[in-house]
Structures are given as structure tokens and as C-alpha cells.
């Protein structure tokens, strides 16, 4: 009587399934025999090469640990975008970058920090591009403020540094006196905020100064008979919106004002020091 084969779980193994298993076992055995014959004829060469390579790696592991693939690449191309006042050589020298240096020695953050030290640079973006290029995108500072001293006009940028612009440009900017020079960076920062929030409002600024009495910024707008006080620190965007609302909604009241105090968030105080109105 033929023996009936079953699996470990007791399932009966049929004739066809048994033949398929036998065929798979035969193919595995045949493949292993072929691999063994190939190894006897040629495989020992590969094994010998692997042994030699392993010995060399172990023997020179100290040098392999110090190996850096980036050292095989050198800087060949530098692309600079956005430089109008600075030349290509000025940017390269300030960034401490030169063609031929190792790409592994280039650090984007270090180059960016070096460029930001330049008074003429407002922002910088540095990016390494494979295999051997460096991309630098600059945003140069722009004129924000004019300082008058002894008949001479000096233009200052967003960062509070002098800029080489013409006198014609200086006359179109808000003017600040020399007495406020100690706070020139605070004033320029304030004007940049105003220009960013409302360019039309910035264009209407005629004169700006620092008030030591109130520790704030005093602004004189064109064609207005009053001065406006703004906080020197903090976010002023909301105060600019409030001021424009005040202009649009209380035009007659502003005609009577000698001073408009905008230093307090959400409030505006109109003071009539000059009493120029008939009913005031």
C-alpha cells in the first residue's frame, strides 16, 4: 500500500504537489552543483581578490577614515546675482572665496555671515551646486534717509550706514538732523517698517527726528501742520494702519492738531497746542 504524505499540520500532499516539490529540489541541487563547479574553475580568483582588498582596507583604515570624497572637487564657477554697487571682485574678496579651493572647505553659512558684514548688503543667499559651482544671490541696501550737516547731504541705508548716492536722490528722501545721529539705526529701522507697510505714507514723510523727551520718533509729514509721535521699538505696522484710518476719518480734527501721539497701541491722542482752529 502506497504511503500517504502529509504536512506538519496534517494536510494531505497530493501527487502533483509532490512532483513540484521534487522538481524544485532538483533545480536547487543542480544550481548548487553548477555554482560549485564555477567556483572551482574561476571563483577562487574572485575570492582571492576579496581577501586582498580586505587586507588592504584593514591595513589602511586610518587613511580611509580621513578620506573625504569632496576633496576630489574644486570650485570652478561662481555665479553672483543682484550686485549693482559691488563688483564681482568685491563680493569674492568679502566672502573669502576663490576659484580652485576645495568644495569641502566651502561653508554656505560662513560665506553668508561674511557677506552680511558688508554695509551695502541687506540679505544674501549662498548655495553650493554640484559638482563644482557656487551660487550667490544678493540684495543690496537702498537709500532710506538723508542726514543734513553743514550744507552737506549724506544718504543712509536700511542698516544705518552711508551710501554713495547723488544729491538728487538725497532730496527725495526723509531728512534727519545731526542731533539725532546717535539714533540713526533706530530711525532707519522705523522708516523701513513704514515703507514696507505703506509705501505711500513713507513717501509723504518730510522730516524725522528723535525725541529725547518722549523717547520716541517724531515725524513731520508733507503738507501737514502737526507732528506725529511713533514708538521707536516694537511692531509699528498696526500704528501705521491706525494713523491712515485717523487721516481718513478725522480730517477736520487733524487740521486743528499740533501733535498726534501714536505711541500707544490702539489709541491716538490729538493735541491742539497751536489752537489754529476758529472753534478750537
Amino acid at each position: 500500500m502506497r504511503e500517504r504524505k502529509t504536512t506538519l499540520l496534517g494536510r494531505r500532499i497530493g501527487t502533483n504537489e509532490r512532483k513540484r516539490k521534487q522538481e524544485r529540489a532538483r533545480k536547487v541541487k543542480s544550481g548548487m552543483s553548477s555554482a560549485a563547479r564555477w567556483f572551482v574553475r574561476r571563483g577562487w580568483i574572485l575570492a582571492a581578490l576579496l581577501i586582498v582588498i580586505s587586507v588592504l582596507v584593514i591595513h589602511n583604515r586610518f587613511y580611509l577614515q580621513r578620506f573625504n570624497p569632496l576633496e576630489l572637487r574644486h570650485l570652478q564657477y561662481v555665479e553672483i546675482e543682484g550686485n549693482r554697487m559691488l563688483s564681482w571682485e568685491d563680493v569674492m574678496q568679502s566672502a573669502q572665496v576663490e576659484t580652485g579651493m576645495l568644495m569641502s572647505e566651502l561653508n554656505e553659512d560662513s560665506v553668508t555671515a561674511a557677506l552680511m558684514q558688508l554695509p551695502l548688503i541687506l540679505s544674501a543667499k549662498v548655495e553650493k551646486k554640484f559638482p563644482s559651482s557656487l551660487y550667490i544671490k544678493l540684495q543690496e541696501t537702498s537709500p532710506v534717509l538723508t542726514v543734513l550737516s553743514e550744507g552737506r547731504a549724506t544718504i543712509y541705508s536700511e542698516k544705518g550706514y552711508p551710501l554713495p548716492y547723488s544729491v538728487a536722490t538725497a532730496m527725495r528722501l526723509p531728512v534727519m538732523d545731526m542731533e539725532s545721529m546717535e539714533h540713526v539705526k533706530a530711525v532707519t529701522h522705523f522708516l523701513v517698517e513704514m515703507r514696507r507697510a505703506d509705501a505711500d505714507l513713507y513717501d509723504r514723510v518730510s522730516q524725522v527726528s528723535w525725541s529725547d523727551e518722549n523717547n520716541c520718533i517724531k515725524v513731520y509729514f508733507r503738507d501737514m501742520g502737526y507732528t506725529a509721535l511713533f514708538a521707536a521699538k516694537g511692531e509699528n505696522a498696526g500704528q501705521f494702519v491706525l494713523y491712515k484710518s485717523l487721516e481718513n476719518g478725522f480730517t477736520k480734527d487733524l487740521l486743528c492738531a499740533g501733535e498726534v501721539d501714536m505711541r500707544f497701541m490702539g489709541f491716538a491722542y490729538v493735541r491742539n497746542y497751536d489752537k489754529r482752529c476758529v472753534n478750537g
Side-chain angles (χ1 to χ4, degrees), residues 93-133:
Q93 184 177 0
S94 301
Q96 300 178 1
V97 171
E98 58 182 9
T99 55
M101 66 184 302
L102 294 174
M103 293 296 291
S104 59
E105 296 178 354
L106 273 177
N107 183 276
E108 292 98 328
D109 294 336
S110 298
V111 175
T112 302
L115 291 173
M116 290 301 297
Q117 298 298 318
L118 291 174
L120 295 178
I121 299 300
L122 183 62
S123 66
K125 177 184 177 183
V126 180
E127 180 182 356
K128 288 196 293 187
K129 292 188 176 182
F130 187 84
S132 55
S133 299

Side-chain angles (χ1 to χ4, degrees), residues 7-267:
T7 63
L8 293 174
L9 300 178
R11 184 177 63 83
R12 180 180 174 182
I13 300 177
T15 303
N16 292 334
E17 186 177 354
R18 185 169 62 252
K19 288 181 177 180
R20 286 195 297 270
K21 285 188 174 183
Q22 291 174 353
E23 181 64 19
R24 285 197 298 270
R26 186 190 65 79
K27 288 182 178 180
V28 170
K29 185 177 181 180
S30 176
M32 293 180 64
S33 300
S34 299
R37 288 195 297 271
W38 176 86
F39 185 81
V40 171
R41 291 196 304 269
R42 299 178 181 177
W44 64 271
I45 300 176
L46 178 61
L49 288 175
L50 290 176
I51 292 173
V52 171
I53 292 174
S54 301
V55 172
L56 291 175
V57 168
I58 295 173
H59 216 51
N60 299 279
R61 62 184 181 277
F62 174 76
Y63 300 101
L64 291 175
Q65 289 174 353
R66 300 180 59 185
F67 174 70
N68 187 355
L70 295 178
E71 293 184 354
L72 300 177
R73 296 190 289 134
H74 294 261
L75 180 62
Q76 296 182 9
Y77 306 101
V78 179
E79 180 183 358
I80 301 175
E81 180 182 342
N83 56 317
R84 294 175 291 107
M85 293 180 287
L86 293 170
S87 65
W88 189 87
E89 291 78 10
D90 293 335
V91 177
M92 292 288 287
Q93 184 177 0
S94 301
Q96 300 178 1
V97 171
E98 58 182 9
T99 55
M101 66 184 302
L102 294 174
M103 293 296 291
S104 59
E105 296 178 354
L106 273 177
N107 183 276
E108 292 98 328
D109 294 336
S110 298
V111 175
T112 302
L115 291 173
M116 290 301 297
Q117 298 298 318
L118 291 174
L120 295 178
I121 299 300
L122 183 62
S123 66
K125 177 184 177 183
V126 180
E127 180 182 356
K128 288 196 293 187
K129 292 188 176 182
F130 187 84
S132 55
S133 299
L134 184 68
Y135 173 71
I136 300 176
K137 184 176 182 180
L138 302 174
Q139 181 183 356
E140 294 183 343
T141 55
S142 59
V144 175
L145 174 70
T146 298
V147 176
L148 295 179
S149 175
E150 298 178 356
R152 297 182 58 183
T154 305
I155 297 177
Y156 283 80
S157 68
E158 295 97 330
K159 299 173 72 173
Y161 292 107
L163 289 178
Y165 275 85
S166 64
V167 177
T169 303
M171 294 300 102
R172 295 195 298 266
L173 299 173
V175 177
M176 188 183 77
D177 53 35
M178 280 296 296
E179 295 179 358
S180 302
M181 273 302 297
E182 182 181 351
H183 304 279
V184 63
K185 290 190 176 182
V187 173
T188 52
H189 177 73
F190 168 80
L191 291 175
V192 169
E193 280 191 336
M194 180 183 288
R195 187 173 63 180
R196 187 182 298 116
D198 193 328
D200 176 66
L201 187 62
Y202 166 79
D203 291 336
R204 289 166 46 203
V205 176
S206 172
Q207 186 176 348
V208 61
S209 63
W210 179 268
S211 174
D212 290 323
E213 179 183 357
N214 298 303
N215 195 32
C216 67
I217 295 175
K218 184 181 294 186
V219 180
Y220 301 83
F221 292 101
R222 290 185 175 89
D223 302 324
M224 296 295 178
Y226 57 83
T227 59
L229 303 181
F230 288 90
K233 297 182 180 179
E235 182 60 44
N236 285 298
Q239 294 301 297
F240 301 142
V241 174
L242 179 61
Y243 176 79
K244 290 297 290 288
S245 301
L246 194 67
E247 281 190 333
N248 296 330
F250 300 91
T251 306
K252 293 183 178 180
D253 295 311
L254 291 180
L255 291 176
C256 302
E259 184 178 83
V260 179
D261 194 342
M262 306 294 302
R263 292 177 295 164
F264 307 99
M265 184 64 66
F267 295 92

